[in-house]
Amino acid sequence: MCDNCTNIIGTQEQFDALNAVIAKHKGTRGALIPVLHEAQEVYGYLPMEVQREIAEQLEIPLAEVYGVVSFYAQFSINPKGKYRVNVCMGTACYVKGSNDILDEFKQALGIDVGDCTEDGLFSLDACRCIGACGLAPVVTVNDEVFGKLEAEDVEGIVEKFKALEAEA
Amino acid sequence: MKKVNMTIDGIQIYVPENYTILEAAKEVGIKIPTLCFLKDINEVGCCRMCIVEVKGAKALQAACVYPVSEGMEVFTHTPKVMEARKVNLELILSNHNARCQTCNRSMADCELQALANKLKVEDVRFEGESEKLPLDVGPSIVRDPNKCILCRRCVSACKNIQTVAVIDLVNRGFNTQVASPFGQPLSETPCVNCGQCINYCPVGALKEKSDVDKVWEAIYDPDKYVIAQTAPAVRVALGEDFNMPIGTPVTGKMVTALKMIGFDKVFDTDTAADLTIMEEGNELIDRIRGGGKLPLITSCSPGWIKFCEHNYPDFLDNLSTCKSPHQMFGSILKSYYAEKNGIDPSKIYVVSVMPCTAKKFEAGRPEMNVDGLADVDCVITTRELGEMIYDIGMDFPELGDSEFDNPFGEGTGAGHIFGATGGVMEAALRTVADILNGNSADNFSYEEVRGLEGIKVATVEIADLKLRAAVAHGLGNARKLMDMVKSGEEEFHFIEIMACPGGCVNGGGQPLQLSEVRSWIDIRAERAKGLYKEDNKSFIRKSHNNPAIKKLYKEYLGMAGGSRSHKLLHTHYTARQNYGK
């Protein structure tokens, strides 16, 4: 394997996309956060190798890059599932019982908050207020929103995506 | 500079407009308490200890970062100010592992403790959750996140001064920590072990890895022949641990203390510095005459060496192959000295007393041995020696003077100045000039390489050669200089680099000075003065005139750069990865 190959993170397509993202923002003030954002879209998360590449090319110390990544809840250093479950823990959702919803998801998926199922299908996170308080308690799976939930609804949601996967 | 009129606690003053409230208050004799503040290094206003009332401002303001303005009225000790400072301090204390009884900073060196006393904190009212985090113990540095108060002084030192940048603030809110990326131990990052973070830490969150126990164990082992050697910078700083003025030379007292501790022999690393100059001077002449790789870059500073291995691997062949003086000394003690005195070299235990934390790492490098015997067995810092002296109850300032032991007890003036930025360069030039000129020059001070300018450049005419020399201290400056060399913007024959700002006198293992001293007094200059004083006092001021060194070459080494020298005194370097790449 050539020297360059060993430094590639993920697939060649992902690596090319990462380089394109960095090239697009390099040289502009405050490039780091948009680069991290778009890099996470490419990889689904921000592993050390991706952060190291960004740090090197933007000439920002890795410690600083990691500091930013670990500060914002939107960034993840762990792989996410194909279906990313986010349970809103904002005030309105919380008082409407989002904690129970979260527990129900933990049970149904057999994972803890921040983790990903072994088959890579689901990941579970608790998030800050997403601004849909009228629908509290609220859960998002990727871009789909589920509102006014009760604990009993959780199983149905999980089944829905499992079925989707079985079809595919 | 334009000036402004303002009042502080009703006192009218007229100060430059670029002053902060903190600086203005200092002018009228008011010392506003600070914790995170370090002048020019960490001016972020995050600890909220220096808050004051500014008339017309909505909230209390941090004096260390708030600029003065015309007509400003400041109040530094209103009840509101005093109460707020106290609450802020209690909040910091509530998440600080206050096991002061067992903390090395307790007593004189803890700025947090001093502040708690000053602000009359009697009880910490806030008992929140606290997490016990693991210590990060490396070969040189120990981090205790449970004591960290998040002042960011270490981050500034590491990132802004040294440009090593292996620690930063991570996570958020209550979970915020100073840490390396991905929580890796420092030893797995490109940390160079310079220890500047320790010097700036106001509490016990950063310290050197203590090797004091190893020293005591060796001393009380009847089988071991224990030798101490002390670096030049130690003698002008050790006294500070006993409240003596900064930069006071205490060579004689230090030797007495070491002998009382029980070392079999106490030698001067300055003698080995002279040996280094012989080898390095010779290497320089060889490279210039023989078309070798230039610039030649000094290799005495192990922090710089590791920095170069991580960041400038293309320049490893430019580094002098000379081991640093204390390593050279170790290998000479276990060969020449052992042979001459009929001592089994495996029984010799060499303890280096150094101003440096990186020397601990250096001594453990696998290259630093001859025939399986480590050159140096243990490195302790100036602070650790101070601790040993203090622990056994010695009244250091009252000790009498003793002389170093023979035959390695006499360093030259050139050896003494090794501890300050520009010193290695100047020492080398003194010797190289004499060798190339074939005579002994009377004028041997090279003022242009002295002082605290970040990068110093000089052209020195020696015989038919116009020698281009550069000196950098502090790794941020080293990086600038190396980038100039790399881009071809500047060409030099000889470069001296010391990892710590000011050189070894301000090494990561030197006695601590609180921020209120560091912010307003340049301790680097004060300690360097002590070394130049020693140089001026020295009868012999050029390395090649050191009789012990002459004898060593005559009896054992042959010539500088000869085969025996190469076996004992020279080494090699390895390119290192940065976070696995």
Side-chain angles (χ1 to χ4, degrees):
Chain A
M1 210 185 269
C2 68
D3 278 343
N4 282 335
C5 302
T6 54
N7 287 331
I8 288 181
I9 308 138
T11 64
Q12 183 67 48
E13 289 70 37
Q14 283 175 318
F15 192 61
D16 291 344
L18 174 64
N19 281 320
V21 164
I22 299 172
K24 185 169 84 182
H25 294 283
K26 193 175 159 97
T28 56
R29 212 177 133 90
L32 180 59
I33 289 187
V35 167
L36 288 172
H37 228 98
E38 291 174 38
Q40 181 158 289
E41 273 166 28
V42 171
Y43 285 91
Y45 70 120
L46 295 167
M48 149 97 112
E49 294 77 7
V50 171
Q51 291 188 40
R52 192 178 61 197
E53 200 61 37
I54 292 170
E56 209 172 283
Q57 292 197 37
L58 292 182
E59 294 174 41
I60 298 171
L62 179 61
E64 191 174 321
V65 172
Y66 179 75
V68 171
V69 170
S70 63
F71 183 86
Y72 291 106
Q74 292 95 325
F75 295 132
S76 173
I77 60 169
N78 296 317
K80 292 289 164 199
K82 185 171 178 188
Y83 302 106
R84 302 185 302 276
V85 180
N86 261 305
V87 181
C88 180
M89 285 292 175
T91 312
C93 290
Y94 190 82
V95 298
K96 288 272 200 174
S98 59
N99 222 355
D100 297 338
I101 309 272
L102 186 63
D103 283 342
E104 203 59 37
F105 269 109
K106 284 189 207 167
Q107 284 249 301
L109 299 172
I111 55 172
D112 217 341
V113 175
D115 290 347
C116 184
T117 54
E118 260 176 45
D119 57 8
L121 220 45
F122 292 96
S123 58
L124 178 63
D125 285 291
C127 67
R128 287 152 207 264
C129 179
I130 60 169
C133 309
L135 297 174
V138 98
V139 165
T140 62
V141 180
N142 295 351
D143 293 330
E144 201 171 330
V145 180
F146 300 85
K148 300 196 170 171
L149 291 177
E150 311 226 354
E152 300 87 74
D153 301 331
V154 168
E155 207 183 317
I157 295 173
V158 173
E159 286 312 318
K160 177 186 159 174
F161 287 97
K162 277 189 179 162
L164 210 63
E165 194 57 26
E167 275 171 34
Chain B
M1 175 67 63
K2 228 180 103 190
K3 287 181 139 191
V4 296
N5 279 298
M6 63 179 295
T7 65
I8 295 184
D9 297 331
I11 303 166
Q12 187 101 40
I13 48 164
Y14 190 52
V15 293
E17 65 172 356
N18 66 342
Y19 266 33
T20 60
I21 293 176
L22 185 74
E23 288 170 303
K26 197 167 172 282
E27 296 270 292
V28 292
I30 295 167
K31 227 164 49 181
I32 295 173
T34 57
L35 187 54
C36 67
F37 173 78
L38 257 171
K39 189 160 168 51
D40 299 331
I41 292 163
N42 201 44
E43 301 182 351
V44 293
C46 71
C47 76
R48 315 312 286 178
M49 281 303 111
C50 67
I51 44 175
V52 292
E53 264 191 270
V54 178
K55 194 172 176 188
K58 261 193 271 175
L60 296 173
Q61 298 296 333
C64 72
V65 289
Y66 204 90
V68 298
S69 60
E70 182 62 35
M72 177 185 272
E73 288 179 56
V74 176
F75 304 92
T76 72
H77 55 74
T78 61
K80 188 174 165 190
V81 166
M82 299 308 270
E83 182 57 24
R85 281 181 190 161
K86 201 165 164 175
V87 169
N88 290 344
L89 185 58
E90 282 182 74
L91 285 166
I92 292 171
L93 284 165
S94 73
N95 196 27
H96 172 74
N97 174 6
R99 294 280 306 270
C100 302
Q101 316 89 304
T102 55
C103 181
N104 69 321
R105 288 293 182 99
S106 197
M107 311 282 288
D109 296 325
C110 181
E111 296 183 25
L112 184 63
Q113 199 177 50
L115 211 49
N117 275 307
K118 192 183 171 114
L119 298 188
K120 305 269 183 303
V121 174
E122 279 154 14
D123 195 20
V124 178
R125 284 171 288 176
F126 313 108
E127 260 185 63
E129 53 180 306
S130 65
E131 206 180 351
K132 182 116 178 73
L133 299 162
L135 303 193
D136 176 9
V137 182
S140 294
I141 296 171
V142 177
R143 287 183 58 240
D144 182 351
N146 305 299
K147 287 185 179 158
C148 177
I149 55 163
L150 305 175
C151 71
R152 306 165 200 214
R153 279 155 54 162
C154 56
V155 175
S156 290
C158 189
K159 182 151 82 174
N160 304 338
I161 302 178
Q162 297 295 61
T163 65
V164 170
V166 292
I167 44 172
D168 214 316
L169 290 170
V170 305
N171 300 331
R172 179 178 189 148
F174 185 72
N175 298 318
T176 307
Q177 277 183 51
V178 171
S180 301
F182 295 85
Q184 290 181 335
L186 274 183
S187 56
E188 281 171 33
T189 70
C191 168
V192 301
N193 305 303
C194 71
Q196 287 299 309
C197 53
I198 301 174
N199 286 359
Y200 292 117
C201 181
V203 294
L206 283 155
K207 59 183 176 186
E208 67 279 310
K209 191 191 136 272
S210 174
D211 287 303
V212 168
D213 289 349
K214 273 167 71 184
V215 177
W216 283 121
E217 203 180 304
I219 282 176
Y220 281 99
D221 183 341
D223 251 8
K224 291 213 166 98
Y225 188 84
V226 192
I227 301 175
Q229 56 161 318
T230 61
V234 177
R235 69 204 62 190
V236 292
L238 180 62
E240 293 166 34
D241 271 340
F242 302 92
N243 297 323
M244 295 168 82
I246 297 169
T248 310
V250 293
T251 318
K253 293 180 197 301
M254 174 182 74
V255 176
T256 304
L258 287 164
K259 290 187 171 172
M260 285 169 73
I261 284 171
F263 286 98
D264 294 298
K265 288 282 180 241
V266 181
F267 291 137
D268 193 353
T269 312
D270 296 19
T271 317
D274 289 328
L275 179 59
T276 304
I277 287 303
M278 295 302 292
E279 293 294 324
E280 202 165 272
N282 180 74
E283 190 181 0
L284 177 64
I285 293 168
D286 265 7
R287 288 198 192 197
I288 292 174
R289 286 202 174 139
K293 195 123 188 180
L294 290 172
L296 176 69
I297 310 176
T298 58
S299 57
C300 299
S301 167
W304 151 244
I305 292 297
K306 191 157 182 274
F307 186 79
C308 187
E309 289 175 324
H310 282 292
N311 299 290
Y312 296 94
D314 300 346
F315 283 86
L316 295 183
D317 290 338
N318 292 76
L319 293 175
S320 163
T321 58
C322 289
K323 290 180 182 173
S324 72
H326 85 117
Q327 296 289 153
M328 282 194 177
F329 210 174
S331 71
I332 288 293
L333 290 172
K334 290 185 181 183
S335 55
Y336 169 71
Y337 181 78
E339 208 176 293
K340 213 173 157 186
N341 294 281
I343 307 167
D344 174 357
S346 70
K347 301 224 157 122
I348 294 182
Y349 192 87
V350 178
V351 177
S352 301
V353 184
M354 297 285 128
C356 181
T357 44
K359 295 274 179 205
K360 287 178 186 271
F361 171 81
E362 181 190 39
R365 288 176 72 118
E367 310 85 76
M368 293 296 169
N369 76 83
V370 177
D371 299 334
L373 274 186
D375 299 336
V376 168
D377 298 281
C378 180
V379 174
I380 57 169
T381 60
T382 312
R383 283 194 297 270
E384 286 169 272
L385 175 59
E387 223 173 86
M388 290 175 78
I389 294 170
Y390 178 85
D391 288 352
I392 56 177
M394 234 183 260
D395 188 358
F396 186 77
E398 295 304 316
L399 293 181
D401 288 346
S402 302
E403 301 273 325
F404 283 109
D405 288 309
N406 280 322
F408 303 117
E410 191 84 54
T412 65
H416 297 325
I417 60 174
F418 251 63
T421 169
V424 176
M425 171 66 71
E426 182 167 347
L429 291 177
R430 289 180 190 178
T431 288
V432 168
D434 278 8
I435 293 175
L436 290 180
N437 288 326
N439 58 24
S440 182
D442 288 333
N443 173 21
F444 48 73
S445 286
Y446 296 90
E447 298 282 346
E448 58 272 51
V449 297
R450 295 185 184 182
L452 290 168
E453 192 70 40
I455 296 172
K456 294 165 278 188
V457 173
T459 304
V460 183
E461 293 195 32
I462 302 172
D464 56 342
L465 178 72
K466 276 200 170 86
L467 188 129
R468 291 273 295 153
V471 174
H473 59 108
L475 291 171
N477 293 322
R479 189 186 286 278
K480 275 187 215 147
L481 178 60
M482 289 307 294
D483 286 345
M484 281 191 249
V485 173
K486 202 173 173 177
S487 69
E489 188 186 330
E490 289 272 11
E491 279 186 33
F492 299 103
H493 295 99
F494 192 28
I495 293 176
E496 175 209 284
I497 294 179
M498 294 189 187
C500 292
C504 315
V505 286
N506 186 34
Q510 289 284 64
L512 298 163
Q513 287 292 347
L514 305 185
S515 62
E516 61 179 52
V517 175
R518 276 190 174 267
S519 281
W520 315 107
I521 295 173
D522 199 331
I523 59 174
R524 302 171 301 176
E526 296 304 311
R527 290 173 183 164
K529 265 188 226 160
L531 289 180
Y532 286 106
K533 247 189 256 166
E534 294 282 284
D535 173 32
N536 281 331
K537 262 187 4 201
S538 298
F539 182 61
I540 304 170
R541 295 179 63 191
K542 294 175 185 172
S543 299
H544 55 286
N545 293 336
N546 185 332
I549 296 301
K550 281 187 186 167
K551 199 167 164 200
L552 175 63
Y553 277 105
K554 198 168 155 226
E555 289 183 358
Y556 196 70
L557 292 172
M559 53 184 275
S563 63
R564 220 168 208 172
S565 288
H566 265 279
K567 181 175 177 208
L568 297 173
L569 310 178
H570 291 257
T571 185
H572 60 273
Y573 310 101
T574 326
R576 287 176 195 272
Q577 294 197 324
N578 294 315
Y579 302 107
K581 182 171 174 183

